[in-house]
Amino acid sequence: MIDQPASSGVNPVTRVRSWYTLLILIFGIFAIRLFYLQVIRYDYYKKAALSDQLKQYTVSADRGIITAQFGDSTVPIVLNQKLYTLYVDPTIVKQPDETAAKIQSVIGGSTADITAAIKTTQTHYVILKKKLTPAQSDKILGYKLPGVGTQEQYYRTYPQGTLAAQLLGFVNDDGQGEYGIEQALNPELKGTDGQLKAVTDINGVPLAASANNLSKAPVSGDNVQLTVDVGMQAGVEKILEAAHSQFKSEDVSAVVMDVHTGAIKAMANYPSYNPADYADVSDGSLFENDSVSYPIEPGSITKLFTTATSLQKGAITPTSSFYDPGSWTIDGGTVHDVASDHSQGQQTILSVLDKSLNTGATWMLMQLGGGQIDSTARNTLYDYFTNHFMLGQPTGIQQGNGEEASGYVPKPADNGAAINLTYANVSYGQAYTATALQMVSGLSSIVNGGTYYQPSLISQITSGTGKTTQLKPKVVKQNVISRQVSDQMISLLEQNNTNHIKEGYPYLDFGSHYSVGGKTGTAQIALPTGGYDPNNVNATYMGFVGGDQPQYAIVVYTIKPTVGVGNGGAAVSQPVFADIAHMLVNNFGVTPKSQ
């Protein structure tokens, strides 16, 4: 009998079923895992995957352009030029040395420095160079270097060159306005940058067709139109440059204002600078607009304010006269005239202006106090200087943050420090300070009938969306003085101009068809240690030009002239005023008298 082999005890069918079950279980685990990864954790892993490919770029907004008047039209004085910023993502660069060599062949500089920048660690963005030309950008992009790209950016360009540089300011490499209009209106001019989130290839190049690209369109900055007339501005700048050369002054400033609106038609200082080359300027003071930032003791042009105040308060009339004692002793100090400390006999209000008598201005101050300088006289002069002519406080002109100076008018309260003598000095232009802009604004209110307009450099603003807003003249104060007193002041200043023509200044003759008037000033310069500089003065002039009524007010500040007869206002700043006034009459539509 033959024996049968022993059974293994495992049924083949069972074995197959076991393997099948195991395979089903394994596939089930994979399916569950895939479901978990692809469905439940989809968003997480999508973000993780995109994090290495998704790059975020800033899309710079177009900065608003700045235009100015040119006769009946407008012309641009600040535009934008499209240049490029070259950047690199060091994490993507494959061959740093070769990449640096190719870049250096286009932009110049040191290959070693470029290589070092490319090898910077722990960053995805390193700027290699700014202000590449379109041709340079195209050449670098043509190399198709992994991790290397360019980004367009707009930079300021100045088609009028150095024109109005100090009132415009400039834009730094970070796109921020500095000084002048550029800083004052930086939020409006800069617009709102956009954003581009783009999926890139392995070389860091955005894939334009990717559905994952997200963008936020930039909003262009506002376009700004100035009140300044380009031709007038250029003419004033040329006159100031010639005056600076002739009188060898530290600097010279002038402001021309439309007396009926407060609009600045020209505002210039010399020396100046080229805003296109601001980075090359070594003297930072050149960036400042001295017409608004540099207050001085303005000297005898102040006598116009003292005279207008005294007329308005009824303390004097245009025909009042007084006996000039030659000097006044006040609080132990002496007030006398620059030319003489001897009596010049009986004097009139006109002769106070014509001869620029400090004793006469002090006498007018006395009349405000009923014949003496007292608290009434001081408070009245202070009130008119600060609350009517707006001295001692910023005007709010559209210039850089903190750039405008407020000047200083001493408080009228008795401070135990010879306050009456201080106010005598104030009455003829010392012991207080004011900018050229403040003086021209105050003068405008005197000759326009008594309305103080806020000085402005802006006539209209057009938003990035195309909406245009006209800036209307802003009245700060009415009834600064009465119409009657305004007319009296105009007449006195016209007569003063006529007297100066007779005294040997023929360039002040504008014929019978135009109304011209003004006042000289020669201001001593205070020393930091006390007292006044015996060797230097500031020369000033303040006046107007028009026809039946004044049209433009003009103020000239010449700082420390070293050439000129006496270096005073009559010898230095008066001819500058005359040159500007003749330019206005000849070229800029000053309306002649109707009769």
Side-chain angles (χ1 to χ4, degrees), residues 336-351:
H336 60 80
D337 298 314
V338 174
S340 172
D341 58 1
H342 301 292
S343 172
Q344 299 189 54
Q346 202 71 17
Q347 300 295 320
T348 64
I349 302 305
L350 178 59
S351 66

Side-chain angles (χ1 to χ4, degrees), residues 35-335:
F35 179 82
Y36 174 76
L37 295 176
Q38 295 183 353
V39 178
I40 297 177
R41 297 284 285 172
Y42 171 79
D43 290 337
Y44 171 81
Y45 285 104
K46 180 182 177 182
K47 292 179 181 178
L50 286 174
S51 66
D52 290 333
Q53 290 181 274
L54 189 62
K55 306 297 181 183
Q56 182 170 309
Y57 303 87
T58 296
V59 182
S60 298
D62 291 348
R63 193 173 178 90
I65 65 172
I66 301 176
T67 61
Q69 296 178 349
F70 187 54
D72 295 329
S73 61
T74 60
V75 295
I77 57 176
V78 184
L79 292 170
N80 298 310
Q81 179 184 16
K82 185 167 68 174
L83 298 174
Y84 293 83
T85 296
L86 174 62
Y87 67 89
V88 62
D89 184 342
T91 66
I92 298 177
V93 175
K94 305 299 183 184
Q95 298 174 311
D97 294 331
E98 180 180 337
T99 298
K102 288 185 177 181
I103 292 174
Q104 190 278 335
S105 69
V106 178
I107 70 173
S110 166
T111 303
D113 290 342
I114 298 173
T115 301
I118 290 175
K119 291 181 177 180
T120 303
T121 60
Q122 297 181 338
T123 181
H124 289 273
Y125 186 76
V126 176
I127 293 177
L128 297 180
K129 190 174 178 64
K130 294 183 177 182
K131 298 186 179 180
L132 269 67
T133 65
Q136 288 175 310
S137 174
D138 290 343
K139 189 168 184 178
I140 287 177
L141 294 180
Y143 289 140
K144 297 183 179 180
L145 301 170
V148 177
T150 63
Q151 183 177 2
E152 69 179 34
Q153 187 168 348
Y154 286 91
Y155 291 88
R156 291 310 225 185
T157 184
Y158 304 88
Q160 307 297 331
T162 61
L163 185 82
Q166 289 158 327
L167 72 84
L168 289 172
F170 58 88
V171 177
N172 64 27
D173 282 348
D174 295 324
Q176 298 300 311
E178 299 282 356
Y179 297 92
I181 294 288
E182 293 282 20
Q183 186 177 62
L185 298 184
N186 187 63
E188 292 85 355
L189 286 165
K190 70 181 298 185
T192 304
D193 290 342
Q195 288 186 340
L196 171 64
K197 292 182 179 180
V199 175
T200 65
D201 62 18
I202 60 172
N203 294 325
V205 178
L207 300 174
S210 173
N212 291 301
N213 289 355
L214 301 174
S215 63
K216 176 184 175 183
V219 179
S220 298
D222 297 346
N223 295 332
V224 173
Q225 182 176 319
L226 303 183
T227 59
V228 170
D229 186 286
V230 169
M232 195 183 299
Q233 179 75 22
V236 170
E237 289 184 8
K238 184 177 181 180
I239 290 169
L240 295 191
E241 181 178 4
H244 181 267
S245 176
Q246 178 180 356
F247 299 115
K248 309 299 181 186
S249 60
E250 282 192 1
D251 54 58
V252 56
S253 304
V255 183
V256 180
M257 174 180 280
D258 182 332
V259 304
H260 300 292
T261 65
I264 302 298
K265 307 305 295 182
M267 177 184 282
N269 315 281
Y270 194 87
S272 186
Y273 73 103
N274 189 336
D277 300 322
Y278 74 88
D280 298 331
V281 175
S282 58
D283 182 3
S285 66
L286 289 180
F287 295 142
E288 296 180 358
N289 183 354
D290 284 349
S291 297
V292 304
S293 65
Y294 189 49
I296 64 171
E297 295 182 43
S300 290
I301 58 177
T302 302
K303 288 169 183 167
L304 302 190
F305 295 142
T306 302
T307 302
T309 301
S310 301
L311 288 169
Q312 183 64 37
K313 297 302 291 182
I316 63 170
T317 70
T319 58
S320 293
S321 64
F322 76 104
Y323 182 81
D324 175 23
S327 64
W328 299 101
T329 300
I330 303 169
D331 286 343
T334 302
V335 171

Side-chain angles (χ1 to χ4, degrees), residues 285-492:
S285 66
L286 289 180
F287 295 142
E288 296 180 358
N289 183 354
D290 284 349
S291 297
V292 304
S293 65
Y294 189 49
I296 64 171
E297 295 182 43
S300 290
I301 58 177
T302 302
K303 288 169 183 167
L304 302 190
F305 295 142
T306 302
T307 302
T309 301
S310 301
L311 288 169
Q312 183 64 37
K313 297 302 291 182
I316 63 170
T317 70
T319 58
S320 293
S321 64
F322 76 104
Y323 182 81
D324 175 23
S327 64
W328 299 101
T329 300
I330 303 169
D331 286 343
T334 302
V335 171
H336 60 80
D337 298 314
V338 174
S340 172
D341 58 1
H342 301 292
S343 172
Q344 299 189 54
Q346 202 71 17
Q347 300 295 320
T348 64
I349 302 305
L350 178 59
S351 66
V352 169
L353 300 177
D354 181 24
K355 299 177 182 179
S356 200
L357 300 177
N358 294 343
T359 52
T362 303
W363 175 80
M364 284 190 277
L365 176 62
M366 291 176 176
Q367 305 320 297
L368 291 173
Q372 62 181 343
I373 303 176
D374 58 11
S375 62
T376 299
R378 298 193 307 268
N379 278 288
T380 301
L381 197 67
Y382 179 82
D383 175 54
Y384 271 78
F385 272 41
T386 60
N387 295 323
H388 290 247
F389 307 127
M390 302 298 169
L391 303 175
Q393 53 191 305
T395 66
I397 191 76
Q398 301 97 341
Q399 289 291 271
N401 302 333
E403 190 173 357
E404 184 180 12
S406 60
Y408 167 75
V409 180
K411 299 289 186 181
D414 189 348
N415 58 7
I419 190 64
N420 290 331
L421 178 59
T422 296
Y423 261 74
N425 290 332
V426 169
S427 73
Y428 56 80
Q430 302 284 169
Y432 89 102
T433 62
T435 65
L437 177 65
Q438 290 173 318
M439 297 301 283
V440 78
S441 301
L443 172 62
S444 292
S445 71
I446 288 176
V447 300
N448 70 12
T451 300
Y452 186 102
Y453 292 97
Q454 181 178 26
S456 179
L457 285 163
I458 309 299
S459 63
Q460 72 176 35
I461 296 177
T462 301
S463 71
T465 58
K467 180 181 178 181
T468 297
T469 301
Q470 299 283 344
L471 272 66
K472 297 180 180 180
K474 181 179 179 180
V475 174
V476 176
K477 189 176 183 66
Q478 294 179 318
N479 301 316
V480 171
I481 56 175
S482 68
R483 175 78 259 183
Q484 179 184 16
V485 171
S486 178
D487 290 340
Q488 291 170 347
M489 287 298 301
I490 292 169
S491 178
L492 284 168

Side-chain angles (χ1 to χ4, degrees), residues 536-593:
N536 291 290
V537 296
N538 292 327
T540 60
Y541 195 92
M542 186 161 74
F544 67 85
V545 60
D548 289 333
Q549 58 183 348
Q551 189 168 340
Y552 295 114
I554 305 166
V555 167
V556 178
Y557 274 14
T558 305
I559 307 302
K560 293 184 180 179
T562 58
V563 174
V565 180
N567 297 330
V572 176
S573 288
Q574 182 175 259
V576 177
F577 162 83
D579 286 345
I580 294 173
H582 278 293
M583 178 192 72
L584 298 179
V585 167
N586 295 334
N587 302 304
F588 295 100
V590 176
T591 305
K593 294 180 179 179

Side-chain angles (χ1 to χ4, degrees), residues 502-530:
K502 295 176 181 178
E503 292 161 6
Y505 301 104
Y507 53 75
L508 290 173
D509 189 352
F510 288 77
S512 60
H513 297 296
Y514 296 98
S515 169
V516 180
K519 177 74 185 76
T520 61
T522 304
Q524 291 180 293
I525 301 173
L527 295 170
T529 56

